[in-house]
DNA sequence: AGGCTCCTTGACGCGTTCTTGATGGCAGCA
DNA sequence: TGCTGCCATCAAGAACGCGTCAAGGAGCCT
């Protein structure tokens, strides 16, 4: 039941150092030596933390970061030879949790790994499944059913639905929904919510034009009831 | 409604730089120049993030870190002149979320502040729910009930009700209500208050023409009692 | 390159909410 | 009694928010 760390790095000596030291601390270590392999590994292995080198052979490191972030909230520690401050800023703003410059002390790196793992452990508990007369939702498996039949929801739809379900029964303000789904820089794009509320209703509500579950509270926000 | 950052640092030029840059980004900035003051400030000001210098005059920085951690999960970014790796390891293991070594680029620091704030979108303390013989109010969920049945309130009605409930039992002047609900530019539009007080009474009072909860204090303001 | 899904963005009609003015009641006062 | 604040109530136009649709564009898979 140990924790799984994905190392994305193409420099063999560094890989070796990391593998030895991380294994010695009791982590399970997986290696990906290209951006493409990293993305595949994130889906298959579901790591608890990612150590990501930005200088990859195929895809730009920041691009990898962006794509991983799109599908997971796993802690990402960026690892790079460049000491350029702009890179740091860009990586952190794209969703990296930490940034270490090579050459790095292995003790510092391990400490940062611990600090970031600690945070993700105290992360919010997973949402329990939902069953209503008309649909079922499984947030852990990302599966939705309506009248027993599978329904496909997009990533953004899941995020919005999660935030609604997390506080179900209460009215959630536009700003809170926008920040939870699109990020902290958002808050005034209420029309996004309209589009996605509309889509969720069409996929889940028995009569989308007279919503029974996803309720609009004009001027304030939305409320999910069941 | 902006986010509050506590800077714990005794070097005046650095304090100055941080204050200017953080304010320019729209954060509220509080300063503590000693460990003792920092601990007090954490309790009183409830910051959303702490920038902590380890080299403090009175208490050892790591000890401050430990004590803050004992009472709060607020993100802490450690800021230090020592480049000693052991310090980093110790600080991160004691619960720091991030570590920046002086001299630092202000852009990098701001990016790390953003990255750490992103994780802890803490909302302002909500008003506690209200229960009376005739109605119930839940300000966190934005839900109102009268005789057990849901009642719809408009955004302006909620804002007015919140301000009244925040100071319930006391008479609140017209100007204060108007500024709290409509904004600081208002204060003379007592008309608005009459209209909305009327609507709240019709929605909540058992006998709207003889109010029992929302009391008019002629020439002064309104008072909400329960 | 092509098709596909998904996200973003703008436009329009409609219903709700806000603002504003008018009317009338009530109390205090000369 | 008439006058003067202050308040409650009502109603109507203006402003705003929402649902809906569709087009454009970016990313991904084959």
């Amino acid at each position: 039941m140990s924790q799984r760390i994905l190392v994305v790095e193409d420099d063999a000596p560094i890989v070796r150092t990391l593998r030895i030291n991380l294994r010695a601390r009791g982590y399970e270590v997986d290696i990906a030596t290209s951006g493409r392999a990293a993305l595949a590994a994130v889906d298959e292995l579901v790591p608890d933390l990612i150590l990501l080198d930005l200088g990859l052979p195929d895809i730009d490191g920041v691009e990898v970061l962006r794509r991983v972030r799109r599908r997971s909230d796993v802690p990402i520690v960026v690892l790079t030879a460049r000491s350029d401050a702009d890179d740091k800023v860009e990586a952190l703003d794209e969703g990296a949790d930490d940034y270490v410059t090579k050459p790095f002390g292995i003790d510092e790196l391990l400490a940062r790994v611990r600090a970031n793992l600690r945070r993700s452990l105290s992360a919010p508990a997973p949402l329990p499944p939902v069953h209503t007369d008309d649909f079922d939702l499984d947030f852990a498996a990302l599966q939705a059913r309506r009248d027993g039949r599978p329904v496909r929801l997009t990533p953004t739809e899941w995020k919005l639905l999660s935030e609604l379900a997390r506080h179900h029964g209460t009215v959630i303000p536009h700003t809170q929904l926008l920040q939870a789904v699109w990020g902290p820089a958002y808050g005034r794009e209420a029309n996004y919510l309209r589009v996605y509320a509309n889509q969720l209703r069409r996929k889940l509500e028995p009569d989308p034009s007279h919503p029974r579950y996803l309720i609009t509270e004009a001027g304030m926000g939305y409320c999910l009831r069941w």
Side-chain angles (χ1 to χ4, degrees), chain A residues 55-201:
Chain A
L56 293 171
D58 53 348
I59 316 178
D60 175 51
V62 176
E63 183 58 28
V64 175
L65 179 52
R66 208 173 286 136
R67 294 197 201 174
V68 172
R69 235 336 137 246
R70 207 174 298 148
R71 63 186 87 181
S72 162
D73 284 327
V74 59
I76 300 176
V77 177
V78 165
L79 198 62
T80 176
R82 313 178 225 179
S83 62
D84 187 359
D86 285 347
D87 276 347
K88 290 196 193 182
V89 174
E90 188 182 5
L92 290 169
D93 279 342
E94 288 295 342
D97 294 274
D98 210 337
Y99 193 104
V100 181
T101 308
K102 301 185 204 172
F104 51 83
I106 189 67
D107 287 330
E108 178 190 346
L109 183 70
L110 290 170
R112 289 197 186 264
V113 165
R114 282 195 294 278
N116 281 281
L117 277 174
R118 181 192 333 129
R119 217 161 25 211
S120 68
L121 283 182
S122 56
L127 287 170
V130 174
H131 303 284
T132 72
D133 293 342
D134 297 294
F135 58 84
D136 300 295
L137 303 174
D138 182 343
F139 292 97
L142 292 184
Q143 292 196 333
R145 292 181 172 275
R146 156 120 178 259
D147 299 330
R149 296 184 182 176
V151 176
R152 293 181 61 85
L153 301 182
T154 71
T156 305
E157 286 163 4
W158 276 113
K159 279 194 220 164
L160 178 57
L161 204 49
S162 302
E163 186 65 15
L164 287 162
R166 199 185 319 278
H167 310 281
H168 69 93
T170 79
V171 179
I172 312 166
H174 297 132
T175 50
Q176 182 179 336
L177 290 170
L178 285 162
Q179 292 188 359
V181 176
W182 281 271
Y186 292 76
R188 275 170 286 279
E189 298 76 357
N191 48 337
Y192 291 14
L193 291 178
R194 284 184 223 129
V195 173
Y196 279 91
N198 189 7
Q199 287 179 352
L200 285 176
R201 283 172 180 150

